[in-house]
Amino acid sequence: MHPLERKVLPVLKEGMELDEIAAASGLKKVEVMRALQWLSNKGALTVKQEVMEVVNLDRNGERYLKSGLPERRFLQGIRGETPVSKIDVAKDELNVCLGLLRGKDAITINKGKDLVVSITDNGRRMLEKESLEESLLKRLPVGLEKLSDADRHALELLKKRKEIVRVDIRKVWHVSLTDLGKRLSKLKLESGNTIETLTPVILQQGLWKGRTFRAYDVKVNVPKVYGGRIHPLQLVIDRVRRIFMDMGFKEMEGPWVETAFWCMDSMWIPQDHPSREMQDTFYLPYQGTIPEKAARLVKAAHETGGKSGSKGHGYEWSAELAKQLLMRTHTTATTYRYFGEKNIRPPAKYFYIGRVFRNEATDASHLPEFHQVEGFVMDEGLTMKDLMGYIKEFYARLGVHRIRFKPTYNPYTEPSMECYGYNEETGKWVELINSGVFRPEALEPFGIKTPVIAWGLGVERLASLILKQDDIRNLLGATGDLNWLRAYKVPRI
Ligand code: PHE
């Protein structure tokens, strides 16, 4: 037996409570609990937990127990016709006393200038004996189920008054020894020949010879320890990165805080486009800088179409608006930084996985802050068929085989296409990918004349599909499902 068990066992008596065992054994409550558990595992005792309601003295109750209830003090203070101001009870107790004592016909009240009271025969009798309330207060704390009908009546009266009594929930452990336990408790329980803890000294000096060791109970319930592990979302990100790498893409890198220029203007999103409004985009109260030459060409693309062959949007483009800093709303901002700053020339294949921010409400499939994956391919002769092929291949490598394409609209791609994946778990088609062929107006300012096909997708949404979660909010953040996060198994694909 463990030393704790040996300390607890001899003091145990039928029906004892945890506090009592702790006091009798000189152990802490947790130690007693542990010992009880071990002993019950051994079949030496049974432990039953009972939830009890206990009536306790509250703040005022404790005071009154010493000084007497205010109504008694009130009655005692009456000498003939007595103005209430002369009686020694607190202001907030006065009304209770008056109401209560008049209700019991213990006093008469004369309203003059001052309130004057006198005691009745009933009142005098009350002074001679203990009230039900006083009798109950003296016996607290007591279990609710032990109260007589008279006590219960008194309790109801006291509960109506301020902080005299309180009914608390208490958990009580009932312990009873089994036959084995009874036999064990009669044994001499010194550790004697048993070694409790193995130390280097015991090994070095051979002290273990001829002695026995305490056995370990490997079946006992112990607190769970959770080791650190990689978040499932990170695993999905790593897998996506692997897939792009395997398909020969290079990885890009870009900032979270962007100018409107790289996030929107560079790709021919007009400056009055609804997605640029504050309801959709988090703006910062600062301006950034924009590259002069690219700005000139982007301005031309917006205003007249520049050399792209388009008529442009036909409005006056503002460099000031383009300098506005914001939290990027999509990773296409980084694609465009690469077009503008890295002089990418065909053939080229790039991808990026990064965080983006959108001013929108959270629900099962939306978060205001999430990760996007973006890929583009730049080469002669690319068409929508290539785009579909890449997307299909990308999904196949993720284990999503049922996909559907649908035409859509993007300001910077034409044609544009959405792709849906089938969620086997919910039986629903989920929009996963937005894609398209970049428009000439969105490429010409950067000197790109070859077709560029591109696609972007939300990682959290993809992760909920792969990880078979029907609500994105289970995955991460304050609403994350901890039990699932601790227990999930990485799906093998
Ligand atoms: N940027 C788009 C989005 O946020 C995705 C996209 C990327 C669309 C590239 C077309 C081309 O939804």
Side-chain angles (χ1 to χ4, degrees):
M1 271 193 283
H2 189 275
L4 291 180
E5 293 173 283
R6 267 189 260 117
K7 281 192 187 144
V8 162
L9 198 52
V11 305
L12 284 184
K13 284 193 202 75
E14 196 71 25
M16 231 176 173
E17 289 180 19
L18 192 56
D19 292 313
E20 295 171 321
I21 305 172
S25 61
L27 296 173
K28 295 196 196 102
K29 270 205 242 176
V30 278
E31 293 173 325
V32 173
M33 275 155 80
R34 226 179 296 152
L36 290 180
Q37 226 223 312
W38 292 333
L39 287 165
S40 105
N41 283 0
K42 292 195 170 87
L45 50 81
T46 56
V47 182
K48 256 193 298 171
Q49 202 192 49
E50 192 197 15
V51 180
M52 261 177 57
E53 285 181 293
V54 180
V55 189
N56 277 306
L57 282 173
D58 208 343
R59 214 166 46 94
N60 289 333
E62 288 187 22
R63 249 183 341 113
Y64 296 158
L65 195 62
K66 291 188 202 114
S67 63
L69 281 169
E71 57 268 34
R72 176 170 296 276
R73 279 184 281 123
F74 188 94
L75 281 181
Q76 286 166 344
I78 301 176
R79 303 267 176 277
E81 303 255 304
T82 314
V84 288
S85 55
K86 293 248 161 64
I87 302 178
D88 183 28
V89 290
K91 264 219 185 84
D92 59 336
E93 294 167 349
L94 183 63
N95 280 337
V96 183
C97 290
L98 288 172
L100 200 135
L101 293 172
R102 198 165 52 167
K104 290 193 175 167
D105 203 12
I107 51 169
T108 51
I109 303 178
N110 304 309
K111 285 195 185 112
K113 251 201 274 126
D114 196 0
L115 218 51
V116 174
V117 290
S118 48
I119 192 163
T120 63
D121 284 347
N122 251 350
R124 266 180 221 104
R125 248 172 272 131
M126 271 179 73
L127 273 179
E128 275 155 30
K129 63 174 204 292
E130 188 178 64
S131 72
L132 289 176
E133 291 98 309
E134 286 164 330
S135 139
L136 177 62
L137 282 184
K138 279 198 327 207
R139 281 176 286 133
L140 298 185
V142 64
L144 193 63
E145 88 280 8
K146 294 214 177 92
L147 296 186
S148 66
D149 285 348
D151 286 336
R152 275 173 198 273
H153 177 65
L155 176 65
E156 286 317 308
L157 293 174
L158 288 171
K159 275 203 318 201
K160 286 193 195 121
R161 300 169 61 177
K162 212 172 137 211
E163 293 176 348
I164 299 184
V165 289
R166 197 178 60 223
V167 180
D168 294 328
I169 304 276
R170 197 163 106 206
K171 286 186 181 149
V172 182
W173 292 44
H174 291 288
V175 175
S176 52
L177 289 175
T178 60
D179 286 341
L180 172 67
K182 284 175 194 150
R183 260 184 290 130
L184 284 176
S185 68
K186 284 192 200 102
L187 295 177
K188 229 176 124 238
L189 290 171
E190 275 97 60
S191 57
N193 204 27
T194 309
I195 293 177
E196 298 293 346
T197 321
L198 189 59
T199 63
V201 175
I202 292 175
L203 289 177
Q204 281 155 10
Q205 303 182 358
L207 300 177
W208 49 271
K209 282 178 197 153
R211 314 220 4 222
T212 51
F213 287 90
R214 176 164 57 84
Y216 283 137
D217 184 352
V218 291
K219 288 198 191 123
V220 76
N221 285 339
V222 288
K224 273 208 170 92
V225 177
Y226 295 100
R229 58 193 323 206
I230 299 173
H231 194 283
L233 187 66
Q234 188 60 48
L235 291 170
V236 172
I237 289 176
D238 293 345
R239 171 131 33 109
V240 168
R241 176 175 288 121
R242 182 79 259 159
I243 290 171
F244 271 111
M245 297 282 207
D246 288 349
M247 288 168 75
F249 285 66
K250 285 190 192 150
E251 189 163 10
M252 299 188 277
E253 235 182 356
W256 291 359
V257 173
E258 267 295 4
T259 51
F261 183 79
W262 288 120
C263 198
M264 295 143 173
D265 295 279
S266 60
M267 63 203 71
W268 209 56
I269 299 178
Q271 291 189 320
D272 62 355
H273 193 274
S275 72
R276 298 174 67 132
E277 278 172 27
M278 296 239 285
Q279 298 93 285
D280 299 289
T281 304
F282 293 113
Y283 285 97
L284 290 136
Y286 305 105
Q287 286 207 324
T289 51
I290 57 175
E292 232 172 81
K293 182 179 165 217
R296 217 173 39 245
L297 295 167
V298 163
K299 178 179 169 75
H302 280 241
E303 293 185 350
T304 63
K307 294 199 188 86
S308 66
S310 150
K311 287 186 191 153
H313 294 305
Y315 74 103
E316 198 180 322
W317 185 80
S318 149
E320 284 310 297
L321 284 180
K323 285 181 193 160
Q324 179 62 52
L325 284 180
L326 46 78
M327 301 303 292
R328 68 177 177 207
T329 52
H330 58 172
T331 42
T332 313
T334 298
T335 294
Y336 270 76
R337 266 192 185 270
Y338 271 62
F339 288 172
E341 294 177 344
K342 307 271 179 196
N343 198 27
I344 311 280
R345 289 298 165 250
K349 293 197 282 193
Y350 279 85
F351 81 99
Y352 182 39
I353 308 171
R355 202 173 280 215
V356 299
F357 307 84
R358 291 186 188 176
N359 192 1
E360 59 188 7
T362 303
D363 64 27
S365 56
H366 292 88
L367 293 170
E369 182 182 331
F370 59 101
H371 293 80
Q372 270 194 332
V373 179
E374 172 117 355
F376 76 80
V377 185
M378 178 192 287
D379 204 0
E380 298 296 344
L382 286 176
T383 65
M384 285 295 276
K385 280 222 158 175
D386 297 293
L387 181 57
M388 290 165 91
Y390 271 107
I391 292 178
K392 235 175 149 172
E393 179 62 28
F394 175 76
Y395 270 138
R397 289 180 189 229
L398 279 169
V400 181
H401 297 284
R402 290 180 71 181
I403 57 170
R404 266 182 191 168
F405 294 105
K406 175 175 163 287
T408 186
Y409 170 79
N410 278 316
Y412 42 92
T413 51
E414 183 58 40
S416 307
M417 184 174 70
E418 275 171 1
C419 179
Y420 289 71
Y422 187 68
N423 187 337
E424 308 278 349
E425 219 48 27
T426 58
K428 282 190 192 135
W429 289 92
V430 244
E431 189 204 323
L432 286 175
I433 283 192
N434 187 8
S435 67
V437 183
F438 282 123
R439 300 180 68 104
E441 297 95 324
L443 292 177
E444 187 270 330
F446 308 100
I448 301 167
K449 298 195 170 63
T450 33
V452 181
I453 55 175
W455 65 97
L457 65 146
V459 184
E460 282 76 357
R461 232 185 251 188
L462 174 69
S464 40
L465 183 84
I466 296 181
L467 301 168
K468 304 197 188 321
Q469 283 286 328
D470 56 6
D471 194 321
I472 241 175
R473 291 168 292 192
N474 293 341
L475 251 54
L476 71 172
T479 54
D481 180 346
L482 264 191
N483 288 333
W484 173 73
L485 286 168
R486 282 169 173 160
Y488 79 95
K489 302 230 172 21
V490 184
R492 223 182 262 277
I493 292 181

